[in-house]
Amino acid sequence: MNASKESPFRGLGLNDKKTIRSWAFFDWANSAYNLVITSTIFPAYYTIITSDKNPETIDYVTFFGRKFVNSALYSYSMSFAFLVIAILSPILSSIADTRGNKKVFMQMFTYIGSLACCGLYFFKLETLELGVILCVVAAIGFWGSLVFYNSYLPEIATVDQQDKVSAKGFTYGYIGSIILQIICFVFVFKPDWFGITDDSIPARLSFLMVGIWWMVFAQIPFKNLPKGSPNFRTNKNVFTSGFNELNKVWHQVKQMAYLKRFLFAFFFYSMGVQTVMLVATIFGEKELHLPTEKLIATILILQLVAIPGAMLMSYLSSKKFGNVNVLIGVVIIWIGSCVAAYFIHTEYQFYALAAVIGLIMGGIQSLSRSTYSKFLPQESPDHTSFFSFYDVAEKVALVFGMFIFGFIDEQLGMRNSVIALTVFFILGLLFLLHLKKVEPKTVIVN
């Protein structure tokens, strides 16, 4: 396609380098949350302050008068956050679509999430309830903003460029988050350089820096991305029309066998992928008793490996094997990784497994987003509704994934929770294999 061709649905110049670069900078801004809060320092800090340091005992915490296993409380709180997003995003997408102001909602969720991260500076064991609530609010801010961020993809890039552009976003995200993570490391590992004597301050200072980083760098996409075009529906209630839109999208999806089967596959393997990413640090801390410094450094290396992983999968899908074939191969690797996690007992086994997961982690997210975008009716003026459906499917998957993980953790232990994730990946794999039996009605993807 001609790079200067105008989008028929938003008036944006497709494949415009400045627009794409600005869009990718939103990943740069918010991925600091995903690395520091989701994957490294916050889970490690949470586990440390809620643990009695005795590997022979189970660590319990009291949350608003009820007793929980500490890791299970974390899982349940994340499950609740995703449930809130699954309920809110259709309503907010409807309002954004009606008023043509989806960038406003990107901004709103960004400020909510970043300010919650700043608030985590005050999180200590004696303020457990506050810390967990702010953690939930930060997650809502992060994932809520992605509903509107993702919907820009088919509006800024032609179908043949969407794999590359999606991977560019993830690559920016990994680079930006690693830069901030290294800055945080200086405080965490060398607090004496700054005269810090309170052991909790370096981690809490990291949470504050994430909020500031997220807020500041988000101004780049906020400045350059268009706000969206209004599609006024004055005869509809915006608080119900979002769910009506999801129902409408679902009826359209049911007529597109390829897209429907892909969404089922995505639903199940997302239950596994996102849950692993959210609990990996806690697993290393609780099950393997790894020192915090080594654990955080390992997760950082995992992020570094994820950059070439995302680029490699973009290349393999676009130039060699096609999206679905690459996804099948990646999901098979995820299945093997979950089985391996059940049996690992040493730090070097954990490092090896982390390297494998890092290679496939960013790639499966980037490729899933661009594959879904390719399957959409490209002439549609309303990609926000389609991506709202995509995001709701992912969040509902996470509600189930995190809740099931936490429940099995409380009943049978975390290792059994990890092996249970294999079932999700197997179901996703079966739908991907079934997908190959149906030809797509929009864009052919091998």
Side-chain angles (χ1 to χ4, degrees), residues 82-327:
F82 297 128
L83 178 62
V84 172
I85 286 299
I87 294 171
L88 280 183
S89 61
I91 299 172
L92 297 176
S93 295
S94 173
I95 297 173
D97 179 54
T98 301
R99 302 300 177 190
N101 58 353
K102 66 182 176 182
K103 186 165 72 171
V104 171
F105 287 97
M106 281 178 62
Q107 293 171 316
M108 180 186 74
F109 277 107
T110 293
Y111 295 137
I112 288 172
S114 58
L115 289 173
C117 288
C118 292
L120 285 172
Y121 176 79
F122 302 100
F123 177 32
K124 292 185 176 182
L125 182 60
E126 53 268 28
T127 58
L128 176 67
E129 287 84 359
L130 173 66
V132 172
I133 290 171
L134 288 175
C135 180
V136 168
V137 172
I140 291 171
F142 174 76
W143 292 100
S145 67
L146 291 184
V147 174
F148 306 98
Y149 170 65
N150 287 336
S151 69
Y152 274 107
L153 180 57
E155 301 178 13
I156 63 175
T158 53
V159 172
D160 61 306
Q161 294 296 309
Q162 285 171 12
D163 286 339
K164 181 179 179 180
V165 171
S166 183
K168 186 183 188 74
F170 277 99
T171 300
Y172 269 47
Y174 286 125
I175 294 173
S177 62
I178 288 170
I179 290 173
L180 181 60
Q181 178 79 88
I182 292 173
I183 295 172
C184 292
F185 276 178
V186 177
F187 290 95
V188 171
F189 296 149
K190 297 294 181 181
D192 52 296
W193 288 3
F194 308 93
I196 298 174
T197 56
D198 184 339
D199 291 341
S200 71
I201 286 182
R204 294 189 290 120
L205 190 60
S206 298
F207 309 151
L208 177 62
M209 288 191 290
V210 167
I212 295 172
W213 177 282
W214 186 359
M215 196 183 307
V216 169
F217 282 105
Q219 302 310 310
I220 297 174
F222 290 163
K223 178 181 178 181
N224 296 315
L225 288 176
K227 69 175 184 177
S229 300
N231 181 17
F232 290 104
R233 301 187 181 105
T234 56
N235 62 329
K236 293 188 178 181
N237 186 329
V238 293
F239 294 101
T240 59
S241 62
F243 295 98
N244 293 334
E245 282 298 306
L246 290 186
N247 187 53
K248 178 182 174 181
V249 170
W250 173 240
H251 282 293
Q252 290 179 264
V253 166
K254 287 195 293 186
Q255 305 303 314
M256 305 163 68
Y258 208 77
L259 186 60
K260 180 175 69 174
R261 295 182 186 184
F262 171 74
L263 278 170
F264 275 115
F266 172 74
F267 177 83
F268 285 110
Y269 68 65
S270 287
M271 291 173 72
V273 171
Q274 297 293 348
T275 301
V276 168
M277 292 171 62
L278 287 166
V279 302
T281 300
I282 293 179
F283 177 84
E285 188 88 40
K286 284 193 67 173
E287 295 295 324
L288 304 178
H289 311 294
L290 296 179
T292 302
E293 294 81 2
K294 290 185 177 180
L295 187 58
I296 294 177
T298 301
I299 301 298
L300 177 60
I301 294 172
L302 183 150
Q303 300 293 319
L304 289 169
V305 174
I307 298 173
M311 297 173 65
L312 174 63
M313 288 183 201
S314 173
Y315 171 77
L316 292 176
S317 59
S318 298
K319 306 294 185 181
K320 296 290 184 180
F321 305 110
N323 293 43
V324 175
N325 286 329
V326 173
L327 282 172

Side-chain angles (χ1 to χ4, degrees), residues 346-358:
T346 70
E347 62 177 281
Y348 292 106
Q349 291 172 338
F350 181 79
Y351 299 154
L353 182 61
V356 173
I357 290 178

